[in-house]
């Protein structure tokens, strides 16, 4: 395993790995809090593999020895890919089950048994209902990005899954933010956990340069094109709020000659996988996404994250911009804010306890409104569109920051459906 770690290019542990790995090796339950992109996957993955390598015997049919739950298909695939890199020359098997793929193929895979099962909760429950999986042999449970699972309503799924797991077991919970419900989750499913925290909850990675552009919805397309044109070969991830908005934006960019693709809840798993693969290789340089991708893209080469629409859940801003400045690199996060999104910006800044420097326009006073009635959320979807009136003017990447502080009441969390 050490050889595999070295071959993969990991020579120095990150802070979360330094703190979490010894505790996990000792069998302790862990609540790990760290910024996205800081190496949480190996923080739980390496100790997990070490425990499993010490066990004898292959997993029985339909069983797994360890279960990792993650909220989205993209994150499940990213975790599994990272683990497979390190288990390639070992007897350990890693399997994934997610929605949007053939359930019959997943049943066939589970029939052989697996050491590590990485799953979205919704599809796992579907397989449990079909009696295609037996979780009684699971002695290691990992909840990755647990705050998003709470936000998406997965707590109900977890209440069904947890009683089916074996005991005693080690449980590790990892997240980039720390909503109040997390304490309740830890009390319910963790046994005297050690708390590992390497950065304040909600604080983005220090190597990300953030700026905000105050402009209205009609001005956003032109400003985006101007920014993209300044560094056409850089990998840029653009976040839109809705599935329809993401698709429309992507098609407009392609029509104007930009090398763009999109991923969102209306895309099939195959389409999403192909788009991410093309983005990772540089074949596609601009990827337009909804929050379905905020925690499932681990591509070190992403130079820019552009929040074309601000997210309605402040935590999602942290996860979005965490797609850049990964693996020790630097990155830039650019946000557009219309008059109807001003309160969303205040909520984001309150969560991070920082004020985002202004690159364009003038910071307005708080309006007391947050862009109309939010749409009902679904697993891969989004909410409503932005505003309509403009501030105009603009600069591209690298603008000098300016602006004055603001404050806001925290936004209310919205539950979203189980679908992943």
């Amino acid at each position: 395993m050490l050889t595999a770690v070295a071959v993969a290019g990991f020579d120095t542990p990150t802070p979360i790995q330094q703190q979490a790995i010894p505790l996990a090796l000792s069998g302790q339950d862990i609540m790990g809090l760290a910024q996205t992109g800081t190496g949480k996957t190996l923080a739980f993955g390496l100790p997990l593999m070490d425990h499993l390598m010490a066990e004898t015997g292959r997993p029985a049919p339909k069983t797994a020895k360890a279960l990792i739950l993650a909220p989205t298909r993209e994150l499940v695939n990213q975790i599994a890919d990272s683990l497979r890199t390190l288990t390639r020359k070992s007897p350990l098997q890693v399997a994934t089950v997610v929605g949007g793929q053939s359930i019959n193929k997943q049943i066939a895979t589970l029939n052989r048994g697996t050491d590590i099962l990485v799953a979205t909760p919704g599809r796992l429950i579907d397989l449990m209902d079909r009696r295609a999986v037996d979780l009684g042999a699971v002695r290691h449970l990992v909840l990755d990005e647990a705050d998003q699972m709470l936000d998406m309503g997965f707590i109900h799924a977890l209440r069904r899954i947890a009683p089916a797991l074996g005991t005693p077991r080690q449980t590790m919970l990892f997240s980039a933010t720390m909503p109040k419900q997390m304490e309740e989750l830890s009390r319910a499913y963790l046994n005297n956990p050690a708390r590992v925290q390497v950065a304040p909850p909600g604080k983005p990675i220090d190597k990300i340069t953030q700026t905000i552009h105050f402009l209205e919805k009609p001005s956003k397309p032109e400003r985006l094109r101007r920014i993209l044109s300044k560094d056409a070969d850089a990998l840029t991830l653009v976040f839109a709020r809705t599935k329809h908005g993401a698709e429309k934006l992507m098609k407009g960019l392609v029509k104007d000659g930009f090398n763009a693709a999109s991923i969102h809840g209306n895309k099939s798993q195959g389409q999403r996988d192909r788009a991410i693969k093309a983005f990772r290789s540089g074949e596609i340089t601009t990827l337009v996404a909804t929050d379905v991708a905020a925690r499932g893209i681990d591509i070190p080469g992403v130079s820019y994250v552009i929040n074309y629409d601000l997210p309605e859940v402040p935590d999602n801003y942290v996860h979005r911009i965490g797609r850049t400045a990964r693996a020790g690199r630097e990155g830039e996060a650019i946000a557009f804010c219309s008059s109807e999104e001003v309160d969303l910006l205040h909520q984001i800044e309150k969560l991070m306890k920082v004020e985002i420097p202004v690159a364009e326009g003038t910071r307005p006073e708080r309006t007391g409104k947050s862009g109309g009635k939010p749409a009902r959320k679904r697993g891969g979807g989004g909410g409503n569109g932005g505003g309509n009136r403009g501030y105009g003017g603009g600069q591209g990447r690298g603008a000098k920051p300016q602006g004055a502080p603001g404050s806001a009441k925290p936004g209310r969390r919205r539950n979203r459906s189980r679908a992943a």
Side-chain angles (χ1 to χ4, degrees):
M1 194 161 66
L2 288 174
T3 301
V5 170
V7 169
F10 301 112
D11 51 13
T12 304
T14 65
I16 186 68
Q17 292 165 2
Q18 285 181 326
Q19 295 187 43
I21 288 175
L23 293 167
L25 285 172
S26 72
Q28 177 112 25
D29 282 11
I30 293 174
M31 176 185 285
L33 298 171
Q35 302 156 347
T36 185
T38 54
K40 293 195 297 293
T41 301
L42 291 192
F44 63 74
L46 288 173
L48 183 61
M49 289 185 286
D50 187 71
H51 285 303
L52 296 178
M53 291 283 283
E55 297 180 8
T56 59
R58 294 185 57 80
K62 297 186 179 182
T63 70
K65 295 182 178 180
L67 173 64
I68 301 172
L69 292 177
T72 67
R73 307 170 194 173
E74 282 71 24
L75 186 53
V76 164
N77 292 333
Q78 178 238 302
I79 292 169
D81 288 345
S82 297
L83 297 181
R84 285 175 180 139
T85 298
L86 301 177
T87 60
R88 190 169 292 127
K89 293 188 177 182
S90 79
L92 297 181
Q93 298 294 314
V94 180
T96 61
V97 293
V98 298
Q101 294 182 351
S102 168
I103 196 168
N104 291 327
K105 289 183 179 179
Q106 293 172 0
I107 290 173
T109 298
L110 290 173
N111 277 337
R112 298 190 292 270
T114 187
D115 295 283
I116 302 173
L117 179 60
V118 193
T120 52
R123 175 52 62 92
L124 182 59
I125 286 181
D126 289 342
L127 291 163
M128 291 170 63
D129 289 342
R130 294 176 182 229
R131 298 185 178 180
V133 61
D134 179 359
L135 300 177
V138 170
R139 291 295 186 273
H140 303 275
L141 171 65
V142 178
L143 305 176
D144 196 19
E145 303 293 7
D147 55 342
Q148 190 184 20
M149 284 199 277
L150 284 173
D151 188 48
M152 296 174 72
F154 285 133
I155 188 64
H156 305 294
L158 188 58
R159 289 186 182 128
R160 282 202 57 193
I161 294 168
L165 304 177
T167 55
R169 66 175 176 268
Q170 179 186 37
T171 302
M172 294 182 279
L173 181 155
F174 284 82
S175 178
T177 60
M178 183 65 181
K180 291 180 180 178
Q181 299 100 312
M182 198 73 76
E183 294 288 351
E184 301 172 14
L185 188 70
S186 67
R187 285 195 297 269
Y189 297 105
L190 279 69
N191 180 27
N192 192 27
R195 180 167 173 144
V196 177
Q197 183 171 337
V198 298
K203 182 181 178 183
I205 294 173
D206 294 333
K207 291 188 177 182
I208 300 176
T209 301
Q210 299 181 69
T211 54
I212 186 82
H213 293 246
F214 289 103
L215 72 171
E216 292 302 345
K217 190 174 181 180
S219 301
K220 286 184 178 184
E222 184 275 334
R223 185 66 67 249
L224 176 63
R225 284 156 176 76
R226 185 183 301 182
I227 292 173
L228 292 175
S229 297
K230 285 180 177 282
D231 197 352
D233 294 329
L235 295 186
T236 303
L237 185 56
V238 181
F239 281 102
R241 192 175 301 144
T242 68
K243 294 177 283 190
H244 173 74
E247 190 68 10
K248 181 180 178 181
L249 180 59
M250 180 274 293
K251 289 180 178 178
L253 290 173
V254 171
K255 184 178 179 181
D256 289 343
F258 291 93
N259 196 8
S262 65
I263 59 171
H264 48 72
N266 283 348
K267 296 280 188 176
S268 70
Q269 188 61 43
Q271 290 174 317
R272 287 154 67 166
D273 290 343
R274 287 191 292 273
I276 291 175
K277 183 178 180 180
F279 186 57
R280 186 187 300 275
S281 69
E283 181 183 343
I284 294 294
T285 55
T286 302
L287 185 63
V288 185
T290 56
D291 281 315
V292 70
R295 309 190 190 200
I297 295 181
D298 184 13
I299 300 175
V302 175
S303 299
Y304 302 94
V305 170
I306 299 177
N307 280 280
Y308 188 85
D309 299 312
L310 292 181
E312 291 175 339
V313 178
D315 287 348
N316 284 352
Y317 176 85
V318 178
H319 297 293
R320 286 179 177 188
I321 69 172
R323 298 308 100 195
T324 186
R326 299 183 77 81
R329 292 173 170 83
E330 295 184 352
E332 187 169 342
I334 300 167
F336 296 167
C337 180
S338 69
S339 58
E340 295 189 9
E341 297 173 298
V342 170
D343 275 13
L344 298 177
L345 173 63
H346 282 304
Q347 293 169 20
I348 290 165
E349 292 180 325
K350 183 164 185 177
L351 170 71
M352 297 191 301
K353 296 181 174 61
V354 297
E355 183 180 279
I356 302 172
V358 177
E360 171 185 358
T362 303
R363 183 181 294 274
E365 296 297 324
R366 187 180 176 203
T367 64
K369 299 179 181 179
S370 58
K373 190 179 293 183
R376 189 175 179 182
K377 300 270 184 172
R378 296 192 184 275
N384 276 3
N388 274 335
R389 292 181 281 279
Y391 299 99
Q395 307 157 16
R397 292 168 177 161
K400 292 182 180 180
Q402 62 186 29
S407 61
K409 296 179 180 178
R412 178 177 295 174
R413 253 182 202 284
R414 298 175 54 78
N415 286 330
R416 285 175 281 184
S417 74
R418 191 185 73 179

